[in-house]
Amino acid sequence: MSEIEGTVQGHRDGHGFVVSDDGASSIYLSPQEMRSVLHRDRVRAKVLRFDRKGRPEGQVLSIIERRKTPIIGRLLHEGGVWLVAPEDRRYGQDILIPPKAIANAQAGQVVAVELTEVPSLHAQPVGRVSEVLGGIDDPGMEIEIAVRKYEVPHKFGDDVLAQTAKLPDKVRPADRKGRIDLTDVPLVTIDGEDARDFDDAVYCEPAAMGRSKKPNGWRVLVAIADVSHYVKPGEPLDREAYERATSVYFPRRVIPMLPEKLSNGLCSLNPEVDRLSMVCDMLITAEGEIHAYQFFPAVICSHARFTYTEVAAIIGNTRGPEAQRRAELVPHLLNLYDVYRALLKGRSVRGAVDFDTTETQIVCDDNGRIAKIVPRTRTEAHRLIEECMLAANVCSAEFIEKGKHPGLYRVHEGPTPEKRQTLKNYLKALGLGLSVGEEPTPGEFQAIAQATKERPDALQIHTMLLRSMQQAIYTPINSGHFGLAYEAYTHFTSPIRRYPDLLVHRVIKALLSGERYGLILPPVVSSVGNFKKGKPGATLPKPPAKRAKIKMSAEESVAWEVAGVHCSANERRADEASRDVEAWLKCMFMRERLGEDYGGTVSTVTSFGLFVQLDGLYVEGLIHITELGGDYFKFDEARQELRGERTGVRYSVGDRVRVQVSRVDLDSRKIDFRIVREGQGPLGEATGRSKRRGGPRDGARDSGEGFESAQAQLAEVQRRDREVKRGGKSVGRGSKKGAAAPSLRAEQRAAQGKPAGKKAPSRKSVRRRS
């Protein structure tokens, strides 16, 4: 049988998988096999058998490498034994701690543990406490846990801090050489109220293009912080930036990619101070097309720091107080607004996908707990900056591609054949009369989104469109960006917080000077990306046939591919860590609301239940299928709904329900709801498609008495079924041919006081029956 080398991926239920280095295959490991290994160990495994569905099940042959990073968990004292229950349930085993190795920690505290004895088939792992993080309810503990749980580098090394300390506090005369002086151009930054680092500044003025003597378009300057001037290849700062690959954002705290002296100081485009930048200078037509562009290094001076709210107010009212305070800059903001509207025309012509989604922001109190969750309002100012950044990113991708230089593109491919077929089946089941072709285009997706945006089930349709797309990745193979409908796209505009942008800046500088940037990857302590060296291109999308391949040596190709995999994986890690912290905070928030009822909307339907987002709170939880009642619910994949076979009740995305908060599990970051039955609350009645088809079948439900639990309701339905079957058998034995068995319909008639054609049983017969 075949053997593979790969990384163990544990599961919270006790089993696990060995995922091959290229991510192309995996082998199932039983809970017994998982006793000798831990999550993220590198092992060699072989296939022993295949299950009914043809999936391989295997056995660990040898352990190639044990994870040496500390394990985070809570210290417990049970039955005279000290142990640590890992915070990450994928580890699957508690770690025994000798009494002398608890490092003065107290029971219930969160600690970091280093293993002293590895697990085996017959023995648990043993470890020692290496760090005491504090109490589980301490402010900021959720972030301390997350950065260690996901192995996010959060402390800068001494060599990095020493190099940072040697950097200047301001732009020196030597730094200005070879740069265009744009300090007199009124560039401005536009960011959120809570932003601390400013990557980009913008400016716009009317411009004449072609033979026109009058302005028929705009000249747009997008100035981006020139991080590459200070972070050089081979230096400690570069190694640390590559190790992190991205900044990680939590509520009230940021784990930056670069030290604060750079991210908030020397590289941040703060107002009224000179800063080094890379400028993308573009001419944009009235139709929103990029007519021409150029890149050059410059020295700029931001003339003002605007917030999105302030710019939106100025655009909405040019005579308001906000506009009067910034009167000298208002004309330039209006020019930016004009070019933004032109860029929107170009977006529409391209057919870029644009869904209306609600993003939320967590507002914390002084103790780091959730005070409230509010929706983020996307104003015209947000979209204005977004379109300017998209234009600059497109120019950088085209510049690199035309220069035939390797680089990292931001690639977003269309649906896989499986996802495309699922989407087609779903659209067909809805009877929309709209579908996607065998080679879907962004325009088809956008047309469906526009045609259905007024429907009551628009949320469900747009969710299915989003889920059919693949995740965007960084890769040296350019196969376009499906969602934005660009043939080439890269990230150029955020080098303070993303390493791929820093690489793009270095490539552009090399092209401007007529050189070639030779990528030499810094050594990293660990990488969360699965990648097997020696197989360049194994994990990458294939380039379109019409695009010529860039000539690269084997070593260069491997280096760029490894960089793309590493940056993509670290981006996923940052997202997972942020979601983990948000889930923790939401669990803490809802733990104080156990037993309370809320209205909500079904956001996702699965084979095991419904995910519901609560109105006003923007918190999501699960109604398990066992909490939906005593019916047997079947998942309809084509329609993405659960349907009860007996009652005809249907639940789908967008349905309105009333739920009760029944359980909050902080360890697994899960919130469970139970559905509120009809008659149990002011909004408890089913609405929309959740209404029962064919009328009620249970008098107890209609009377408002309800059932104590889903199990009790199921038992009642089963009892009634047995009575019906028992009655059918007795009729079959002793009645005349053609006589009908008693049915639920007869019970309904009896409940309504109508004769059922049969004498009521006496008390004596009832006693015998019982």
Side-chain angles (χ1 to χ4, degrees):
M1 306 292 277
S2 60
E3 298 181 6
I4 68 169
E5 291 183 7
T7 304
V8 175
Q9 297 290 335
H11 192 278
R12 63 178 63 250
D13 291 338
H15 61 271
F17 300 88
V18 178
V19 181
S20 62
D21 291 324
D22 59 5
S25 58
S26 64
I27 297 176
Y28 171 82
L29 296 180
S30 67
Q32 180 68 15
E33 282 294 319
M34 286 294 294
R35 289 186 59 84
S36 61
V37 295
L38 288 173
H39 174 62
R40 297 198 68 185
D41 283 348
R42 274 186 50 79
V43 301
R44 180 180 291 107
K46 73 172 181 179
V47 178
L48 294 179
R49 65 185 70 86
F50 293 87
D51 64 10
R52 295 177 183 177
K53 296 183 179 180
R55 296 174 297 192
E57 298 181 6
Q59 177 185 28
V60 174
L61 297 177
S62 61
I63 296 167
I64 301 171
E65 181 184 359
R66 293 275 189 184
R67 295 293 295 177
K68 295 182 175 60
T69 53
I71 298 173
I72 308 301
R74 293 180 70 177
L75 182 65
L76 305 175
H77 194 217
E78 298 179 351
V81 177
W82 291 94
L83 54 88
V84 168
E87 172 69 23
D88 191 340
R89 295 287 187 88
R90 292 175 295 182
Y91 280 100
Q93 300 183 61
D94 292 340
I95 302 164
L96 297 175
I97 309 294
K100 295 182 180 180
I102 63 173
N104 297 322
Q106 299 177 1
Q109 287 187 313
V110 181
V111 298
V113 176
E114 292 180 353
L115 294 184
T116 55
E117 295 182 25
V118 297
S120 67
L121 290 174
H122 308 290
Q124 285 181 256
V126 180
R128 68 175 187 86
V129 174
S130 60
E131 183 182 8
V132 180
L133 301 183
I136 192 70
D137 291 325
D138 290 353
M141 180 53 62
E142 68 280 357
I143 298 176
E144 296 297 332
I145 291 174
V147 295
R148 291 165 176 82
K149 177 179 175 181
Y150 292 95
E151 300 179 26
V152 176
H154 59 285
K155 294 181 180 179
F156 290 105
D158 293 338
D159 55 347
V160 176
L161 295 176
Q163 183 189 352
T164 304
K166 295 178 181 178
L167 293 173
D169 295 322
K170 59 183 181 180
V171 175
R172 299 166 298 187
D175 299 326
R176 299 173 181 268
K177 292 181 179 178
R179 294 178 178 271
I180 295 177
D181 189 340
L182 296 181
T183 53
D184 60 332
V185 177
L187 288 143
V188 297
T189 61
I190 304 175
D191 290 276
E193 281 79 0
D194 55 351
R196 296 180 62 192
D197 51 48
F198 309 110
D199 291 281
D200 53 83
V202 290
Y203 169 76
C204 179
E205 65 182 16
M209 287 173 279
R211 297 181 179 179
S212 175
K213 295 182 180 180
K214 295 182 179 180
N216 57 352
W218 295 270
R219 182 186 183 188
V220 179
L221 299 181
V222 175
I224 306 299
D226 190 0
V227 177
S228 62
H229 181 82
Y230 300 104
V231 181
K232 304 289 186 182
E235 295 180 347
L237 267 173
D238 185 53
R239 186 202 69 234
E240 187 71 24
Y242 178 70
E243 177 91 40
R244 301 183 178 213
T246 181
S247 296
V248 187
Y249 292 86
F250 301 112
R252 300 211 322 163
R253 183 178 171 187
V254 177
I255 308 297
M257 185 181 79
L258 299 171
E260 187 173 357
K261 183 174 181 178
L262 283 168
S263 60
N264 295 343
L266 193 56
C267 291
S268 183
L269 305 183
N270 300 322
E272 306 301 334
V273 291
D274 291 355
R275 289 288 185 254
L276 305 183
S277 69
M278 284 294 295
V279 175
C280 180
D281 186 356
M282 298 171 283
L283 289 176
I284 297 176
T285 67
E287 288 73 35
E289 296 179 356
I290 300 173
H291 179 72
Y293 64 86
Q294 62 177 337
F295 289 91
F296 54 83
V299 180
I300 72 160
C301 178
S302 172
H303 283 220
R305 181 261 203 264
F306 283 101
T307 66
Y308 292 123
T309 305
E310 193 176 5
V311 172
I314 292 172
I315 292 173
N317 182 9
T318 56
R319 296 182 179 181
E322 296 86 357
Q324 291 177 5
R325 284 197 300 268
R326 308 288 188 110
E328 72 282 359
L329 295 174
V330 168
H332 307 303
L333 291 180
L334 295 180
N335 288 334
L336 280 168
Y337 183 64
D338 288 340
V339 77
Y340 151 70
R341 291 191 296 180
L343 289 169
L344 281 186
K345 293 180 184 177
R347 185 187 187 101
S348 177
V349 171
R350 292 197 319 273
V353 183
D354 189 12
F355 298 124
D356 288 330
T357 56
T358 302
E359 296 182 6
T360 58
Q361 178 182 3
I362 292 177
V363 180
C364 294
D365 57 22
D366 294 337
N367 295 321
R369 298 289 180 255
I370 294 180
K372 57 183 177 179
I373 303 174
V374 296
R376 288 184 184 270
T377 304
R378 274 177 54 82
T379 65
E380 295 286 88
H382 287 84
R383 297 184 176 92
L384 182 155
I385 289 298
E386 181 181 299
E387 289 297 329
C388 290
M389 298 305 112
L390 291 177
N393 287 336
V394 169
C395 291
S396 63
E398 184 178 310
F399 187 65
I400 293 172
E401 190 175 41
K402 286 187 175 180
K404 298 182 179 180
H405 195 294
L408 280 188
Y409 294 93
R410 183 67 168 177
V411 167
H412 180 225
E413 293 195 295
T416 62
E418 295 80 10
K419 289 185 176 182
R420 182 187 69 229
Q421 191 58 47
T422 300
L423 178 62
K424 292 177 72 172
N425 293 341
Y426 169 73
L427 295 173
K428 183 178 180 181
L430 288 183
L432 291 175
L434 298 169
S435 187
V436 295
E438 292 302 313
E439 295 292 335
T441 65
E444 291 176 331
F445 275 64
Q446 184 62 12
I448 295 172
Q450 287 294 320
T452 59
K453 65 180 181 180
E454 301 299 331
R455 288 173 56 105
D457 57 351
L459 173 63
Q460 177 182 3
I461 297 170
H462 293 182
T463 300
M464 285 298 296
L465 290 173
L466 277 171
R467 288 178 182 166
S468 69
M469 300 181 191
Q470 300 183 55
Q471 283 188 316
I473 61 172
Y474 294 107
T475 166
I477 305 299
N478 176 32
S479 55
H481 197 291
F482 181 85
L484 296 173
Y486 287 129
E487 293 186 359
Y489 186 73
T490 192
H491 276 169
F492 163 77
T493 54
S494 296
I496 290 178
R497 60 185 180 91
R498 292 190 304 229
Y499 196 82
D501 302 55
L502 177 57
L503 290 178
V504 167
H505 277 233
R506 289 174 179 171
V507 170
I508 290 175
K509 280 188 173 181
L511 288 171
L512 290 175
S513 59
E515 301 173 353
R516 187 177 180 90
Y517 173 63
L519 176 62
I520 300 177
L521 295 179
V524 295
V525 176
S526 65
S527 175
V528 291
N530 286 329
F531 178 79
K532 189 171 184 179
K533 294 183 179 180
K535 286 190 176 181
T539 62
L540 301 185
K542 301 301 179 185
K546 64 181 180 179
R547 294 186 178 277
K549 289 186 177 181
I550 298 172
K551 293 182 180 179
M552 287 186 282
S553 65
E555 293 78 9
E556 196 174 21
S557 177
V558 169
W560 281 104
E561 183 178 348
V562 170
V565 172
H566 173 78
C567 293
S568 299
N570 280 27
E571 179 187 40
R572 304 283 179 263
R573 176 177 67 180
D575 291 341
E576 289 174 3
S578 298
R579 282 195 296 266
D580 188 77
V581 168
E582 289 185 8
W584 169 293
L585 292 171
K586 288 178 180 178
C587 284
M588 295 291 290
F589 185 58
M590 297 305 296
R591 198 165 63 172
E592 301 172 358
R593 291 161 174 78
L594 281 170
E596 296 183 8
D597 292 358
Y598 296 94
T601 304
V602 177
S603 57
T604 307
V605 180
T606 69
S607 59
F608 54 84
L610 311 171
F611 285 95
V612 175
Q613 187 178 80
L614 302 183
D615 298 340
L617 297 183
Y618 300 98
V619 172
E620 194 174 65
L622 172 69
I623 305 175
H624 196 267
I625 197 168
T626 56
E627 295 289 346
L628 293 177
D631 203 349
Y632 176 77
F633 283 86
K634 188 175 181 180
F635 179 57
D636 186 338
E637 186 177 7
R639 294 181 179 272
Q640 290 291 300
E641 67 180 18
L642 284 174
R643 178 180 298 181
E645 287 195 348
R646 288 173 51 81
T647 60
V649 173
R650 295 194 300 173
Y651 294 100
S652 59
V653 175
D655 282 350
R656 301 280 301 144
V657 293
R658 182 115 187 140
V659 299
Q660 182 185 71
V661 183
S662 61
R663 181 172 174 266
V664 175
D665 187 348
L666 188 61
D667 291 335
S668 59
R669 315 288 196 268
K670 290 182 177 179
I671 301 170
D672 290 335
F673 300 146
R674 66 174 49 152
I675 201 159
V676 176
R677 295 292 167 195
E678 293 92 327
Q680 290 186 341
L683 296 180
E685 62 275 6
T687 58
R689 276 182 287 193
S690 297
K691 288 185 178 178
R692 189 171 288 107
R693 303 299 196 261
R697 297 191 183 192
D698 195 328
R701 277 184 212 146
D702 294 336
S703 66
E705 296 171 4
F707 294 93
E708 292 181 0
S709 67
Q711 286 78 11
Q713 188 171 354
L714 178 60
E716 177 67 10
V717 172
Q718 290 173 340
R719 182 187 67 76
R720 288 177 175 275
D721 285 344
R722 285 196 298 270
E723 288 182 0
V724 171
K725 291 177 182 177
R726 191 183 302 121
K729 289 179 181 178
S730 64
V731 170
R733 290 193 191 102
S735 62
K736 295 180 181 180
K737 185 177 180 181
S743 64
L744 289 178
R745 189 177 302 157
E747 292 181 5
Q748 286 179 345
R749 288 209 306 269
Q752 296 169 2
K754 297 179 181 179
K758 193 173 182 179
K759 185 179 179 180
S762 65
R763 291 185 181 179
K764 187 175 182 181
S765 65
V766 170
R767 277 200 303 273
R768 283 176 186 164
R769 195 177 301 166
S770 61

